[in-house]
C-alpha cells in the first residue's frame, strides 16, 4: 500500500460553518461511518471513502460505539485508517463517537448511566487508537437514568480530556434544554445536537428542537439527510435487491408505498429542473435550515460521495421551489 498524502487543495471547495456560536467550524457535508464501514464490508473500500472525503475537505467523521455491523467494527476500521494513513493529519480532523444504544450484554451496556458512558468511551478510544475524541455524544435520552447523571458523565469526559466537546443526539426539545442547562452548571458547553432530519422526517422543526438549539446557540449535525437512501435515485424504479430496503436493514420494502414513490419521482423531477440529482437537492434543502451546521451522509462508494458533494454547487432555493416541495410532501 502506497504512503498516503492528502490532496494539497483539499480546503479550496468545501465550505465550513461554526457550530452555533462556538469557535468550532465544521464542513457543510460530513461523513458518517454507520453501515458501510464495519467488519461485513470491504476495508479497502472503507479506506478509499475516508481518504477521498478528507481529500475533498471533509474533516468531520461521525461514529458511535455500536456502528458496524458488527458493533465496534466501524471504530476499528477508522482506527486502522488513522494509524496507517491519517496520523499526520490528526489535528485537522474532527472525530466523534456516541454511547446510548445497546453495545454489550447486561444492564451496563445500554442507556445513559455513568457506568455505561464512561466504559464505552474508554473502549471507543482504544478501538480507534486515540487519546481523545473531538465530540462525545449521548446517543439518546434515557428516561430510566437521571439526566443529571448522564450529563455529569459527559462533563467529566470533557474535563478529563477524553473529549473536547459534548453533544446530544436524538434528544427531544424539553430534554435538550435541561441537558444544556445541566452541562452549563458543570462548566461544559453543549456544542451540537444530532437529530434525524430530511424532507420526509421534519420532526426537529415541528417539535421545537430547532427553537431549543437557537436558544442555546447550538448547532445541528443532522443524520439520515437522504432518508436511508429514499431521497436518491435508488428507488425510482422499485426496490433493488442489494439496496437497504431490499436487504431489510434499516429500511424495508414496505416503507416504499405507492404514495412515497410518487413523492420521490416528483422530487426527482424538480431536482432535474434545478440541475441536480435528487440526493444533491435533498442535501441542499437540509443545509438551508438556520440551525444546521453540517449534514452527515453515509456512503457505499466514492462515486456516491462525489455525487453528494455536488450539492454544494447549488444551495439556493427560490420561494416557488420550496412551495412545490411542500405541495409534493403534502400530497397535493
Amino acid at each position: 500500500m502506497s504512503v498516503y498524502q492528502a490532496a494539497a487543495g483539499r480546503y479550496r471547495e468545501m465550505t465550513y460553518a461554526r457550530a452555533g456560536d462556538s469557535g468550532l467550524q465544521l464542513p457543510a457535508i460530513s461523513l458518517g461511518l454507520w453501515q458501510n464501514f464495519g467488519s461485513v464490508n470491504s476495508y479497502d473500500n472503507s479506506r478509499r471513502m475516508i481518504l477521498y472525503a478528507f481529500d475533498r475537505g471533509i474533516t468531520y467523521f461521525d461514529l458511535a460505539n455500536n456502528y458496524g455491523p458488527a458493533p465496534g467494527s466501524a471504530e476499528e476500521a477508522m482506527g486502522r485508517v488513522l494509524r496507517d494513513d491519517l496520523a499526520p493529519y490528526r489535528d485537522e480532523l474532527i472525530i466523534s463517537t456516541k454511547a446510548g444504544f445497546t453495545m454489550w450484554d447486561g444492564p451496563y451496556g445500554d442507556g445513559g448511566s455513568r457506568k455505561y458512558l464512561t466504559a464505552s468511551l474508554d473502549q471507543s478510544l482504544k478501538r480507534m487508537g486515540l487519546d481523545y475524541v473531538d465530540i462525545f455524544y449521548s446517543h439518546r435520552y434515557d428516561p430510566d437514568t437521571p439526566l443529571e447523571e448522564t450529563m455529569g458523565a459527559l462533563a467529566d469526559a470533557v474535563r478529563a480530556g477524553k473529549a473536547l466537546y459534548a453533544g446530544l443526539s436524538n434528544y427531544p426539545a424539553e430534554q435538550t434544554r435541561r441537558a444544556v442547562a445541566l452541562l452549563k452548571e458543570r462548566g461544559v458547553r453543549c456544542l451540537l445536537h444530532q437529530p434525524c432530519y430530511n424532507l420526509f422526517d421534519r420532526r426537529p422543526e415541528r417539535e421545537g428542537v430547532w427553537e431549543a438549539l437557537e436558544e442555546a446557540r447550538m448547532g445541528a449535525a443532522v443524520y439520515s439527510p437522504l432518508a436511508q437512501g429514499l431521497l436518491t435515485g435508488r428507488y425510482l424504479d422499485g426496490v433493488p435487491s442489494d439496496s437497504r430496503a431490499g436487504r431489510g436493514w434499516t429500511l424495508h420494502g414496505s416503507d416504499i408505498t405507492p404514495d412515497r414513490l410518487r413523492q420521490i419521482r416528483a422530487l426527482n423531477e424538480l431536482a432535474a429542473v434545478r440541475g441536480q440529482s435528487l440526493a444533491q437537492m435533498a442535501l441542499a434543502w437540509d443545509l438551508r435550515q438556520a440551525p444546521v451546521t453540517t449534514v452527515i451522509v453515509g456512503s457505499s462508494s466514492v462515486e456516491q460521495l462525489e455525487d453528494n458533494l455536488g450539492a454544494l454547487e447549488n444551495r439556493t432555493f427560490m420561494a416557488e421551489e420550496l412551495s412545490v416541495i411542500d405541495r409534493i410532501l403534502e400530497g397535493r
Side-chain angles (χ1 to χ4, degrees):
M1 184 181 298
S2 59
V3 176
Y4 168 72
Q5 287 189 313
R10 58 189 176 278
Y11 296 118
R12 290 176 187 161
E13 296 180 7
M14 179 58 67
T15 60
Y16 300 85
R18 296 189 184 279
D21 66 354
S22 76
L24 185 68
Q25 298 185 62
L26 297 178
I29 293 177
S30 301
L31 183 61
L33 278 66
W34 181 13
Q35 292 189 337
N36 294 305
F37 296 84
S39 56
V40 298
N41 305 103
S42 162
Y43 171 74
D44 287 342
N45 189 47
S46 299
R47 175 179 176 268
R48 278 194 298 271
M49 287 188 284
I50 292 169
L51 298 183
Y52 175 81
F54 185 53
D55 282 340
R56 294 293 300 274
I58 292 178
T59 54
Y60 176 23
F61 297 88
D62 183 72
L63 297 106
N65 57 356
N66 62 346
Y67 283 3
S73 59
E75 289 182 331
E76 291 171 350
M78 187 68 196
R80 185 174 168 187
V81 175
L82 285 166
R83 183 186 70 241
D84 294 346
D85 300 292
L86 291 177
Y89 307 97
R90 173 64 182 101
D91 293 338
E92 299 181 40
L93 305 175
I94 301 297
I95 298 171
S96 70
T97 195
K98 315 178 200 70
F101 291 103
T102 300
M103 180 60 190
W104 61 83
D105 293 338
Y108 317 122
D110 190 7
S113 71
R114 174 183 293 275
K115 169 72 172 175
Y116 172 50
L117 266 62
T118 302
S120 177
L121 179 54
D122 285 344
Q123 290 183 19
S124 292
L125 292 173
K126 184 176 180 180
R127 280 190 289 268
M128 291 189 282
L130 294 174
D131 296 322
Y132 69 92
V133 290
D134 297 276
I135 309 167
F136 183 42
Y137 292 91
S138 171
H139 207 166
R140 68 178 178 93
Y141 169 63
D142 178 9
D144 297 320
T145 300
L147 198 54
E148 292 83 354
E149 179 176 346
T150 304
M151 293 305 105
L154 283 185
D156 285 350
V158 172
R159 286 196 291 257
K162 295 179 180 180
L164 300 186
Y165 301 95
L168 309 174
S169 182
N170 300 303
Y171 271 58
E174 178 185 351
Q175 285 72 30
T176 295
R177 291 185 174 94
R178 286 184 56 212
V180 167
L182 288 167
L183 284 169
K184 185 177 181 180
E185 289 174 6
R186 291 156 176 78
V188 172
R189 172 75 182 276
C190 194
L191 181 78
L192 283 168
H193 189 294
Q194 193 174 124
C196 177
Y197 183 65
N198 57 63
L199 282 161
F200 293 148
D201 188 346
R202 299 171 68 169
R203 286 175 294 174
E205 66 183 72
R206 291 170 175 163
E207 297 179 0
V209 172
W210 286 167
E211 287 83 353
L213 300 191
E214 289 171 353
E215 290 168 14
R217 304 189 306 279
M218 291 169 60
V222 301
Y223 72 89
S224 196
L226 300 179
Q228 298 298 305
L230 286 179
L231 290 166
T232 69
R234 196 84 165 106
Y235 299 99
L236 291 171
D237 299 312
V239 182
S241 60
D242 62 343
S243 65
R244 289 184 179 182
R247 292 175 294 185
W249 281 10
T250 54
L251 189 67
H252 302 279
S254 58
D255 296 323
I256 308 175
T257 63
D259 284 342
R260 183 63 89 202
L261 274 175
R262 280 193 289 272
Q263 290 175 328
I264 292 170
R265 288 165 180 156
L267 290 169
N268 186 63
E269 290 174 6
L270 176 60
V273 172
R274 286 172 49 83
Q276 293 179 305
S277 68
L278 175 54
Q280 289 168 348
M281 184 181 77
L283 295 173
W285 184 89
D286 270 24
L287 285 166
R288 59 177 288 277
Q289 289 289 349
V292 176
T293 304
T294 184
V295 293
I296 301 171
V297 300
S299 184
S300 60
S301 68
V302 164
E303 292 74 23
Q304 190 179 82
L305 187 54
E306 182 179 20
D307 179 76
N308 290 171
L309 287 165
L312 302 180
E313 297 173 10
N314 182 10
R315 294 169 55 176
T316 303
F317 287 83
M318 294 185 295
E320 177 57 26
E321 290 174 322
L322 295 174
S323 296
V324 170
I325 288 172
D326 285 340
R327 289 197 296 271
I328 291 170
L329 298 177
E330 292 165 5
R332 293 187 279 125

